[in-house]
Amino acid sequence: MNGFSVSATSPSNIAIVKYWGKHGNQLPNNPSISFTLSRCHTETLILCKQNANKNYTMRFLFEGKESPKFQEKIEKYLIDNQQYFGFLKGLDLEIESGNSFPHSSGIASSAASMSALVLCLLKIEKVVNNDVTPVDMRKASFLSRLASGSAARSVFPVMSLWGATPSVPDSSDDYAVPLEDVVHPVFKTYHDSILIVSNKEKSVSSRVGHSLMNGHPLAESRYATARKNTERLLEVLKNGDIDEFIEIAESEALQLHEMMATSNPPYKLMEPNTLKIIDLVREFRHNSKVPACFTLDAGPNVHLLYPDAFDAQVKQFIKENLLQYCHDNQCIDDIVQNKTNL
Ligand code: PMV
């Protein structure tokens, strides 16, 4: 075995039931369910050369440039989890990574980047061991979770559930499980138009946000609601009840931001235009009967979710009514991913 290379593409995901609060080694305090996206993804290539040392070396380039911040993050991940990466010994790794979404969109998807990295690492393991069997996606989800919690959900197409849930026997806090086989066809056609309200880096990172859930006076009731919403959403995903889907998605989004507003210290990531867009989406739904709804990540950007059958109407609504509230009129049109990452 001389030099070789591996590559992987992995998408971002958008949670409907949100993961917010964790314990131990990246274990969630409640289960979460997400759509896997297709257009917002990370592509990673790793060039591997054998060296004469007992250890490995690693150099990371993001979109062609050195990135000390990411380099440090990956180094820490590989050291913290070295029991899983013994196969890297004796290799020089040059990691090149890039995102499909614009630099300045304010979307920093650690879910996409960390799951793409993990898929590459597992492909290296296969080469080193001369193993031609496919990568085990459950293991990919497990190792992605250790890098960034929500990354656990990015390795499966359509939708994933991460977190032990009584009605799903093989669900676990350790890794996500695919929901593709139980999801009603309408949800496989969903669009996510991401309205970029701001492209600035968040004032409070998700890492700090999760930690502020420790000792939060509303934490236990939030976790109980999330568990209930997980079970409700699983039912909705089977029966295709879009009205109930909308209710769950919007209340989860607002609750996530309520947790931020009531933490100690309190903070807010929504911007005036976030609220303006939310109001307009609700008004549009009420007047047109188009079942479009919003969700939010830990940031000001609004994810507008709707079935493909309403694509033309929603796109027109976005153009005429929402783009004016977006930074540089920016909206990223994404759609649920229906194929696997490998
Ligand atoms: O995976 P993290 O640590 O970046 O946390 C993600 C948290 C949310 O995006 C707000 C919710 C979620 O479930 O993805």
Side-chain angles (χ1 to χ4, degrees), residues 10-293:
S10 195
S12 183
N13 68 72
I14 179 69
I16 307 302
V17 176
K18 310 289 181 182
Y19 147 63
W20 201 240
K22 59 180 172 178
H23 63 276
N25 192 2
Q26 297 271 97
L27 292 164
N29 288 351
N30 64 259
S32 55
I33 295 179
S34 56
F35 276 125
T36 307
L37 301 177
S38 55
R39 295 187 187 142
C40 288
H41 60 250
T42 299
E43 266 177 60
T44 299
L45 168 75
I46 307 187
L47 304 168
C48 308
K49 280 196 205 117
Q50 274 188 307
N51 66 32
N53 306 326
K54 288 225 162 60
N55 221 325
Y56 63 87
T57 66
M58 194 270 282
R59 185 165 168 253
F60 179 81
L61 298 177
F62 183 72
E63 301 191 342
K65 293 198 195 99
E66 301 216 331
S67 163
K69 196 173 127 196
F70 279 125
Q71 166 101 20
E72 219 174 277
K73 188 172 172 184
I74 297 170
E75 270 166 9
K76 183 172 179 334
Y77 169 68
L78 292 175
I79 291 169
D80 288 352
N81 298 288
Q82 54 188 299
Q83 72 264 40
Y84 304 113
F85 298 114
F87 57 86
L88 292 179
K89 281 187 185 136
L91 291 176
D92 291 329
L93 310 173
E94 183 157 317
I95 307 177
E96 291 173 20
S97 200
N99 288 341
S100 64
F101 39 95
H103 261 317
S104 58
S105 63
I107 300 184
S109 181
S110 60
S113 57
M114 297 322 279
S115 54
L117 174 75
V118 164
L119 288 170
C120 283
L121 293 172
L122 291 179
K123 286 183 180 182
I124 294 175
E125 183 176 32
K126 295 280 175 191
V127 175
V128 168
N129 294 336
N130 262 326
D131 176 353
V132 292
T133 60
V135 167
D136 175 351
M137 295 310 258
R138 184 165 281 186
K139 184 171 173 187
S141 176
F142 169 82
L143 291 174
S144 298
R145 181 206 104 221
L146 293 173
S148 168
S150 57
R153 300 185 309 242
S154 270
V155 303
F156 299 112
V158 188
M159 297 194 89
S160 311
L161 162 71
W162 169 40
T165 302
S167 68
V168 181
D170 63 344
S171 61
S172 168
D173 285 352
D174 291 329
Y175 45 78
V177 293
L179 294 177
E180 184 181 5
D181 291 343
V182 300
V183 167
H184 186 282
V186 70
F187 294 114
K188 297 187 180 179
T189 76
Y190 257 65
H191 287 249
D192 178 6
S193 293
I194 310 169
L195 298 147
I196 308 300
V197 169
S198 166
N199 65 350
K200 295 209 188 85
E201 203 168 314
K202 291 180 278 194
S203 56
V204 179
S205 69
S206 287
R207 190 180 51 81
V208 172
H210 284 291
S211 73
L212 290 175
M213 287 300 282
N214 297 326
H216 191 299
L218 305 175
E220 286 316 313
S221 93
R222 161 64 199 151
Y223 302 144
T225 307
R227 280 183 207 113
K228 211 169 89 203
N229 281 344
T230 299
E231 295 289 5
R232 270 174 82 200
L233 183 58
L234 284 166
E235 234 358 84
V236 163
L237 294 180
K238 281 181 215 149
N239 65 27
D241 182 342
I242 295 184
D243 290 339
E244 177 100 353
F245 174 83
I246 291 173
E247 210 180 293
I248 298 170
E250 295 192 347
S251 73
E252 276 287 316
L254 295 175
Q255 230 180 65
L256 171 68
H257 286 261
E258 257 164 46
M259 289 302 110
M260 299 171 189
T262 50
S263 67
N264 183 13
Y267 65 104
K268 69 153 188 67
L269 298 179
M270 287 196 276
E271 305 240 338
N273 283 348
T274 311
L275 297 173
K276 183 78 202 163
I277 291 173
I278 287 176
D279 283 346
L280 288 170
V281 167
R282 289 182 151 170
E283 194 184 293
F284 169 68
R285 183 169 69 237
H286 181 78
N287 294 339
S288 67
K289 307 287 174 245
V290 169
C293 68

